[in-house]
Amino acid sequence: MRTPARFSVVASFLVVAFAAACSDSTGPRTQSPAQIALHFDSIAIQAKAQSDTNSAYAARTLLATLIEIPAALGATPATVSVTTATGAESWKAYELLELTSNGTSNNDSSFAILMFRDADAHTAFIAFFDSTGAVQDGGLVTGDTIPVSPSAGDATTSLTSVGGACATPSSSLHNPGLGSFTLGTCNLARFRTTLQITLPSTTGVDAALTHLAFTNANMNGVRLVDAATGAAVRRVHQMIHATAAASRRH
């Protein structure tokens, strides 16, 4: 197992000025995709307002938006059995595959997994993968604002099937972050993902989160072909890199 320096980028973006943990409960309650989208729409809007006075909430805004997107497009979250340092837990997860179009063909792609431990995603994990399914960046956020960067581990993913067309997002969704996601075509999809990471013991963080692992988990999500204006998920990825670089300068 190699030490994943590439995992540190997202965690760098999520550096916070203080540590204040909120309690988490496993087993998010069952909701329809539309209900989940509306729920995380509210969370993203609230987190954006909080980030105006506390930049730590920018991470929660991003994570809530990325969970909201596949839900708004009609995807049902997968239930994933995650092995933690203290035993098995039931998490929810989405996956996105975005293909960048040059107008005539789909010539690039990137994957993202979005896992949340509880119904409000007070604890969530995000990872980005390249076109081969090899992990590039990743990080855990717990207590809404506490980032934890993995100290070792790896992850891989692959697309296993493509289904019907995505749903049209509801007009009742008002998260301004959705405006940056301009899509060409969208289909529901299935993925298979393996992840095993070790995280350092951190003040205010549940000791169970020092280890997260699952093998060949089936993930639900969406396959997006971005409009010619550019790759939405890739733009978020670039934003994370830019923010991480800015945080290191201060």
Side-chain angles (χ1 to χ4, degrees), residues 54-93:
N54 182 352
S55 61
Y57 281 92
R60 183 158 174 76
T61 306
L62 173 64
L63 289 169
T65 299
L66 290 177
I67 293 171
E68 180 182 358
I69 290 167
L73 294 170
T76 300
T79 299
V80 178
S81 179
V82 178
T83 301
T84 73
T86 57
E89 296 183 359
S90 180
W91 289 43
K92 296 296 186 183

Side-chain angles (χ1 to χ4, degrees), residues 29-46 60-77 92 94 114 116 119-121 166-178 188 222:
R29 59 187 178 273
T30 301
Q31 295 177 300
S32 70
Q35 290 173 319
I36 293 171
L38 189 61
H39 180 63
F40 281 98
D41 190 77
S42 297
I43 288 175
I45 291 171
Q46 180 184 35
R60 183 158 174 76
T61 306
L62 173 64
L63 289 169
T65 299
L66 290 177
I67 293 171
E68 180 182 358
I69 290 167
L73 294 170
T76 300
K92 296 296 186 183
Y94 280 115
L114 314 146
F116 47 111
D120 293 335
C166 294
T168 300
S170 170
S171 60
S172 63
L173 301 176
H174 302 297
N175 176 6
L178 296 179
L188 301 177
V222 292

Side-chain angles (χ1 to χ4, degrees), residues 11-192:
S12 296
F13 162 64
L14 302 173
V15 170
V16 296
F18 66 93
C22 297
S23 63
D24 290 318
S25 59
T26 60
R29 59 187 178 273
T30 301
Q31 295 177 300
S32 70
Q35 290 173 319
I36 293 171
L38 189 61
H39 180 63
F40 281 98
D41 190 77
S42 297
I43 288 175
I45 291 171
Q46 180 184 35
K48 177 61 175 67
Q50 290 171 303
S51 71
D52 290 340
T53 55
N54 182 352
S55 61
Y57 281 92
R60 183 158 174 76
T61 306
L62 173 64
L63 289 169
T65 299
L66 290 177
I67 293 171
E68 180 182 358
I69 290 167
L73 294 170
T76 300
T79 299
V80 178
S81 179
V82 178
T83 301
T84 73
T86 57
E89 296 183 359
S90 180
W91 289 43
K92 296 296 186 183
Y94 280 115
E95 186 154 352
L96 295 86
L97 167 60
E98 183 176 42
L99 291 87
T100 305
S101 174
N102 63 9
T104 58
S105 63
N106 301 324
N107 59 358
D108 196 6
S109 61
S110 60
F111 298 80
I113 61 168
L114 314 146
M115 300 176 53
F116 47 111
R117 192 186 192 194
D118 59 283
D120 293 335
H122 293 304
T123 293
F125 181 83
I126 183 172
F128 290 96
F129 301 76
D130 65 17
S131 60
T132 70
V135 70
Q136 297 298 295
D137 305 312
L140 178 81
V141 181
T142 188
D144 294 347
T145 60
I146 304 174
V148 186
S149 177
S151 55
D154 203 2
T156 59
T157 193
S158 63
L159 175 69
T160 57
S161 65
V162 178
C166 294
T168 300
S170 170
S171 60
S172 63
L173 301 176
H174 302 297
N175 176 6
L178 296 179
S180 64
F181 289 79
T182 305
L183 305 178
T185 62
C186 175
N187 291 84
L188 301 177
R190 296 266 287 174
F191 306 84
R192 184 167 291 118

Side-chain angles (χ1 to χ4, degrees), residues 201-217:
S201 179
T202 305
T203 300
V205 176
D206 185 349
L209 300 174
T210 58
H211 177 74
L212 300 174
F214 54 84
T215 301
N216 291 328

